[in-house]
Amino acid sequence: SQIVYDPPQLESILKETYGVIVYQEQVMAIANQLAGFSLGQADLLRRAMGKKKHEEMAKQKEMFVSGAKGKGIPEKLSEKLFDQMAFFAGYGFNKSHSAAYAVVTYQTAYLKAHFATEFMSALLTSEMGNTDKMVGYFTECRELGLQILPPDANQSLKNFSVVPEGIRFGLVAIKNVGGNAVDVILESRNTEGPFSSFLDFCCRIDSQKVNKRVLEGLIKVGAFDSMGLARASLFQVLDEALDH
C-alpha cells in the first residue's frame, strides 16, 4: 500500500520502517524534531509511555501538542500523532532489542517451516512442566499435520523425540513420573534390551526409584499398551507384580 507521512516531517524518521513506528528511538526523534523536546525530555516521554501513567501522559500530551503547534503542525494532527506514539508504546522496544528479537524470530520461523517435527519436539520438551502451553502446542502439531505418538515403555525417551511417524511423547512429561525414575527405566532398556512384558519391567527396575505411584502413572497414559494388556488388567496385577 502507499506509504503516507502525515505530517511530511515524519519521512526522515520513519522511512526505514515504511512509515510505521517500530523503535523507541523513533518516538524520541518525533518528540525532538516535531515538538521541540530536548533529548532528555524525549526520553522522559518514552519512559512515561512505557509505564502508562495516565496523569503523566496527559501532561506530556499537552507539552507535545503545544510544541508541535509552535512547529506549525495543526492541533488535531499532533494529538493523533501522540495517540499513535502512545499506542506503539504498548509493544515497542529500543532498536537494538528489536533487532535481536527479529533475528531469533527469523531463525525459529525458518526451523518451524523446514524442520517442523524437530522444532515442535524441542518446543514441547522445553515446556514439559507447563500443561497449558503443552496443550496449545499439541493443537499446533495437529494443525501442522504432525502426529503425537503416546508414551511407550519401550519406545519413549526422556524428552519428546522425533520418530519416522511423528513425535514420541517424552516420559518425563508424564505426571508423577520424575527424571530419576526415567533414568532407571532407560538404563535397563539400554543395557538389557526392550521389556518383554509388564512383569519383566517390574522385575528389572529398581522399585525404590520406580515405585507404585510411578507405575500407576505409566499405566494410566498407556505406556504398556503395546505389550497387549488392558490398563484395567495391569492395575489388577500391579501389587502382585511388584511383590514378585
Side-chain angles (χ1 to χ4, degrees), residues 27-92:
V27 167
M28 294 172 66
I30 291 169
N32 174 245
Q33 294 176 35
L34 275 70
F37 279 45
S38 69
L39 290 178
Q41 288 173 320
D43 191 47
L44 290 174
L45 171 64
R46 175 200 62 79
R47 201 177 305 172
M49 285 182 168
K51 292 184 178 176
K52 299 179 180 67
K53 291 183 177 178
H54 297 298
E55 286 182 19
E56 183 63 25
M57 285 287 283
K59 182 181 169 186
Q60 292 286 346
K61 185 173 185 177
E62 192 178 319
M63 288 170 59
F64 182 86
V65 171
S66 174
K69 190 176 182 181
K71 296 268 188 179
I73 298 170
E75 189 173 319
K76 279 194 174 180
L77 181 56
S78 62
E79 285 181 351
K80 180 185 173 185
L81 181 56
F82 186 90
D83 291 339
Q84 284 179 334
M85 290 159 64
F87 174 74
F88 148 84
Y91 62 85

Side-chain angles (χ1 to χ4, degrees), residues 194-207:
F195 302 104
S196 60
S197 65
F198 180 64
L199 183 60
D200 180 47
F201 182 93
C202 292
C203 289
R204 279 167 52 182
I205 50 91
D206 181 350
S207 58

Side-chain angles (χ1 to χ4, degrees), residues 9-182:
Q9 297 98 307
L10 288 172
E11 184 170 1
S12 63
I13 301 168
L14 302 181
K15 191 173 183 179
E16 70 169 331
T17 53
Y18 305 98
V20 179
I21 301 171
V22 176
Y23 311 125
Q24 289 177 338
E25 287 89 340
Q26 290 172 319
V27 167
M28 294 172 66
I30 291 169
N32 174 245
Q33 294 176 35
L34 275 70
F37 279 45
S38 69
L39 290 178
Q41 288 173 320
D43 191 47
L44 290 174
L45 171 64
R46 175 200 62 79
R47 201 177 305 172
M49 285 182 168
K51 292 184 178 176
K52 299 179 180 67
K53 291 183 177 178
H54 297 298
E55 286 182 19
E56 183 63 25
M57 285 287 283
K59 182 181 169 186
Q60 292 286 346
K61 185 173 185 177
E62 192 178 319
M63 288 170 59
F64 182 86
V65 171
S66 174
K69 190 176 182 181
K71 296 268 188 179
I73 298 170
E75 189 173 319
K76 279 194 174 180
L77 181 56
S78 62
E79 285 181 351
K80 180 185 173 185
L81 181 56
F82 186 90
D83 291 339
Q84 284 179 334
M85 290 159 64
F87 174 74
F88 148 84
Y91 62 85
F93 298 104
N94 61 61
K95 190 172 183 178
S96 62
H97 188 93
S98 302
Y101 262 74
V103 171
V104 175
T105 301
Y106 181 84
Q107 289 171 333
T108 51
Y110 180 90
L111 291 170
K112 186 176 179 182
H114 297 284
F115 303 95
T117 312
E118 290 83 355
F119 179 80
M120 293 307 296
S121 176
L123 197 58
L124 284 162
T125 295
S126 73
E127 295 289 356
M128 282 197 294
N130 190 327
T131 306
D132 291 339
K133 281 200 172 183
M134 281 178 62
V135 169
Y137 294 147
F138 288 147
T139 303
E140 183 80 8
C141 285
R142 280 196 294 273
E143 290 173 359
L144 291 170
L146 302 176
Q147 188 178 4
I148 302 288
L149 302 168
D152 187 282
N154 278 327
Q155 299 292 329
S156 289
L157 300 179
K158 197 168 189 174
N159 298 326
F160 285 83
S161 55
V162 176
V163 293
E165 301 89 347
I167 298 171
R168 176 68 70 177
F169 206 96
L171 293 175
V172 172
I174 302 168
K175 192 175 181 181
N176 297 331
V177 178
N180 290 336
V182 173

